[in-house]
Amino acid sequence: MSLTGIQLVQYLLPLVTFPYLTRVLGPANFGRVAFAVAFIGYFQILTDYGFNLSATREISINRDDLSQVSKIYSSVMVTKTILMFLTFILMLVIISSFERFRGDPLLYIFTFGLVVGSVLFPVWFFQGIERMRYISILRILSSLIYTALIFIIVRGPKDYLYVPLVNSIGFIVVGVYSQHIVRKEFKVKFLRPKLQDIKKQLVEGWHLFISTLAISLYTTSNRFILGLLVDNATLGYYAVAEDITRALQGLVSPIGQAIYPYFSRIQAEDRERAKTELKKILILISVLTFIFSIILVFLAPFIVMILAGPSYKESILLLQILIFIVFLVGVSNVLGIQGLVSFGYKEKFTRILITAGIIHIIMLIILTLILSTIGAAIAVVITELIVCILMYDTLKKLKIF
């Protein structure tokens, strides 16, 4: 509950800049920025490489052994840094090779700063030692920097390039400061990792990386594929609905983040107790998120008008469809992360997400060509429902439920 309270503050700050940006940039430039963030999102997935789960679990299990924590921390940070440089080179090759990207190279380079900030900010470490407040406090600091600079720098539609630049600056500053906290507050030392340590981290995170990549097929890929099929303004309408949905979804996500290390630990200590706890949290999350989603369907017109303005009326129906993601993702997080991953079934978790991702891409393209952005929103909700059904069925077969 305390994490949700902090998360609420964290999301109130972007809600200050969101109405400003939607009005100042207009649908077309708002869509242009959204496409760049979706594109760079793939590189962020490559550098995260599943460490937010695999490294979190390792830190959680070994958190009382400072030398082992330092070893894990160092090897993960070096591995992520190597991946960051490789993905930056890959991005430069792509934006210089394809016409869709060649016209706005600075937009993508500035947005890549989000990847740099993500590498510097070890969310997985704070989750592993169960000090979640650091994540929330630092993200609030990042939002404060972003909010202040947006109002100072962004004055008109032509200033859209400054939006990702300002966002990146906030992420990088917070990332650097978080490194200071890790060393000063937790006494973690940097130990030069051996090649075998880096290899071990890559092997440990592989299945979770593939699962995260599969998730991106029906999350990040929505805006990216839409950006290839529709104009920037139409993408802007969809991006507004999706941004509002993600903000509302973010009010629920701290619960999953907080209980994952707990489930990883009690599953190793008492498997039967973990099964009982899993059922309790599933019922709680399901009821809360479903009621929350129903209420938001009726509030959607008011929310869009207040946050985005009358120019985004097309976003209302999209929001009313997408809002059910809050319920479905809340359920799938419990079933997948707290259930399958915590109990050691990473491979099954990965297979479900790959299956759902492939189905989604096919649905997304077909429904977008037929119904435009409404089709895309429907495809997202159907895919999330498929994920929940497959995960629940798998847990039943494994006798966890």
Side-chain angles (χ1 to χ4, degrees):
M1 291 299 293
S2 64
L3 284 171
T4 302
I6 295 173
Q7 193 84 341
L8 181 61
V9 175
Q10 181 185 325
Y11 276 96
L12 285 175
L13 287 170
L15 288 180
V16 174
T17 57
F18 186 79
Y20 179 74
L21 289 176
T22 52
R23 290 166 172 81
V24 170
L25 297 183
N29 282 337
F30 192 83
R32 188 173 279 114
V33 172
F35 179 76
V37 172
F39 172 58
I40 297 302
Y42 289 112
F43 303 112
Q44 191 162 336
I45 290 167
L46 289 170
T47 54
D48 283 346
Y49 195 80
F51 293 135
N52 283 349
L53 291 175
S54 64
T56 295
R57 189 172 189 275
E58 279 195 76
I59 294 289
S60 177
I61 293 170
N62 296 281
R63 62 181 184 172
D64 295 325
D65 185 344
L66 184 57
S67 62
Q68 187 63 20
V69 167
S70 296
K71 182 179 177 181
I72 295 167
Y73 181 81
S74 302
S75 59
V76 171
M77 285 303 302
V78 169
T79 306
K80 285 171 71 73
T81 302
I82 292 170
L83 291 172
M84 180 187 71
F85 281 112
L86 292 175
T87 54
F88 183 70
I89 294 169
L90 177 60
M91 182 204 68
L92 292 178
V93 171
I94 292 172
I95 65 174
S96 61
S97 301
F98 297 93
E99 188 61 37
R100 178 67 177 82
F101 305 95
R102 202 180 295 144
D104 226 341
L106 281 180
L107 176 63
Y108 304 107
I109 291 171
F110 288 164
T111 309
F112 192 85
L114 298 177
V115 178
V116 179
S118 177
V119 169
L120 289 170
F121 187 13
V123 171
W124 46 272
F125 173 82
F126 294 116
Q127 286 179 330
I129 58 172
E130 297 184 52
R131 294 293 185 273
M132 300 293 293
R133 69 178 182 274
Y134 284 102
I135 298 174
S136 297
I137 292 169
L138 288 169
R139 282 179 174 165
I140 289 172
L141 176 60
S142 174
S143 295
L144 283 170
I145 295 170
Y146 172 74
T147 301
L149 291 178
I150 282 294
F151 285 112
I152 294 170
I153 297 175
V154 180
R155 297 291 185 176
K158 293 182 180 180
D159 294 332
Y160 71 93
L161 278 176
Y162 296 131
V163 176
L165 178 61
V166 165
N167 206 2
S168 295
I169 289 170
F171 266 74
I172 292 170
V173 168
V174 165
V176 171
Y177 185 61
S178 70
Q179 292 291 323
H180 171 71
I181 291 174
V182 170
R183 286 169 173 76
K184 184 178 179 181
E185 298 293 327
F186 299 99
K187 312 301 180 186
V188 174
K189 297 178 181 178
F190 179 80
L191 305 173
R192 185 177 178 181
K194 298 176 183 177
L195 187 59
Q196 64 188 39
D197 294 327
I198 294 174
K199 184 179 178 181
K200 181 190 174 185
Q201 292 301 334
L202 291 172
V203 171
E204 284 290 322
W206 172 251
H207 284 289
L208 295 168
F209 164 64
I210 296 300
S211 66
T212 307
L213 197 60
I215 291 173
S216 77
L217 293 177
Y218 56 90
T219 52
T220 305
S221 291
N222 297 326
R223 295 190 187 192
F224 183 71
I225 292 175
L226 275 174
L228 299 176
L229 297 176
V230 302
D231 59 78
N232 287 325
T234 303
L235 176 59
Y237 300 134
Y238 179 86
V240 162
E242 190 175 71
D243 280 346
I244 294 172
T245 303
R246 285 180 178 176
L248 295 168
Q249 183 185 325
L251 298 177
V252 180
S253 63
I255 300 173
Q257 290 177 329
I259 63 177
Y260 175 67
Y262 168 74
F263 261 100
S264 296
R265 196 169 67 253
I266 67 168
Q267 181 276 137
E269 297 169 356
D270 188 341
R271 198 173 177 86
E272 290 306 313
R273 180 191 166 198
K275 290 179 182 180
T276 303
E277 295 290 331
L278 185 65
K279 292 173 186 175
K280 289 179 182 178
I281 196 68
L282 177 62
I283 293 170
L284 177 64
I285 294 294
S286 298
V287 172
L288 289 177
T289 54
F290 185 73
I291 293 172
F292 190 45
S293 298
I294 293 296
I295 293 171
L296 291 170
V297 167
F298 294 100
L299 293 177
F302 174 75
I303 293 171
V304 171
M305 287 300 105
I306 293 296
L307 294 183
S311 300
Y312 293 84
K313 288 181 181 178
E314 289 87 345
S315 300
I316 295 173
L317 180 57
L318 295 172
L319 177 59
Q320 289 174 322
I321 297 169
L322 288 171
I323 208 65
F324 285 99
I325 294 175
V326 175
F327 164 64
L328 293 169
V329 171
V331 173
S332 67
N333 178 273
V334 176
L335 296 173
I337 304 300
Q338 322 307 333
L340 292 173
V341 175
S342 288
F343 280 83
Y345 297 104
K346 291 185 289 187
E347 295 84 355
K348 293 183 184 296
F349 176 72
T350 302
R351 279 200 294 271
I352 289 171
L353 296 180
I354 291 173
T355 301
I358 293 169
I359 293 171
H360 176 70
I361 292 297
I362 296 169
M363 272 199 304
L364 178 65
I365 294 172
I366 293 172
L367 290 178
T368 299
L369 291 173
I370 297 171
L371 300 171
S372 187
T373 49
I374 292 175
I378 292 171
V380 173
V381 174
I382 292 174
T383 302
E384 294 289 359
L385 179 60
I386 290 171
V387 170
C388 289
I389 293 170
L390 291 175
M391 286 181 175
Y392 183 80
D393 183 61
T394 303
L395 288 169
K396 288 284 283 185
K397 289 177 179 176
L398 293 168
K399 300 187 186 303
I400 293 174
F401 278 156

